[in-house]
Amino acid sequence: EDMEYTYLPLLSASYKYQPLKGFIMAGYPFGGESYQSLSFTEGKVASVNEIEDRKAVFADMFGKPGNSGSPVIDSTKMKAIGVFWGGITQPGTSEMIPCFTPLDIVWNLLNEIGN
């Protein structure tokens, strides 16, 4: 009850994810028990794809386990554009492509909760 929270402003659901558009991810790699201070990672949008019937933004950055749920912030407008969730791995390889959920999906979930 005594804690104060800082909320990130959200960009509109119509935000356009353009290749090479810069962003910042703020989170706790390996979880908060490993690191006490917030860690920042810069990246760029690689592409927008469909994965298992949902839209995902592929990124050219490096996320770690524990970063899931971290906000992805447009680096020029300094507003949230998505939520990092990890990545996908091509079957038969260990290479992972980092991904985040676009903000329009988050907006839809917030609207469902509000109704």
Side-chain angles (χ1 to χ4, degrees):
E1 293 179 12
D2 295 334
M3 295 181 71
E4 288 188 31
Y5 295 96
T6 301
Y7 296 93
L8 287 170
L10 306 177
L11 279 172
S12 73
S14 62
Y15 181 82
K16 302 294 182 214
Y17 299 90
Q18 299 171 351
L20 303 179
K21 180 78 172 164
F23 65 81
I24 301 164
M25 179 182 66
Y28 295 92
F30 303 113
E33 58 277 347
S34 298
Y35 299 96
Q36 290 74 42
S37 62
L38 200 56
S39 177
F40 296 91
T41 304
E42 289 183 295
K44 292 184 177 146
V45 171
S47 62
V48 179
N49 293 279
E50 293 285 327
I51 301 174
E52 299 174 6
D53 296 329
R54 69 174 174 161
K55 186 165 53 169
V57 179
F58 287 10
D60 77 338
M61 47 79 73
F62 195 66
K64 295 280 190 192
N67 279 131
S68 296
S70 295
V72 178
I73 304 160
D74 180 287
S75 58
T76 56
K77 298 180 184 197
M78 299 308 288
K79 293 184 179 183
I81 60 170
V83 178
F84 184 78
W85 57 267
I88 62 162
T89 304
Q90 180 70 25
T93 72
S94 61
E95 187 174 347
M96 185 170 70
I97 301 171
C99 301
F100 65 89
T101 298
L103 198 62
D104 58 332
I105 294 172
V106 175
W107 274 113
N108 289 341
L109 288 171
L110 290 172
N111 285 330
E112 286 177 21
I113 291 170
N115 291 328

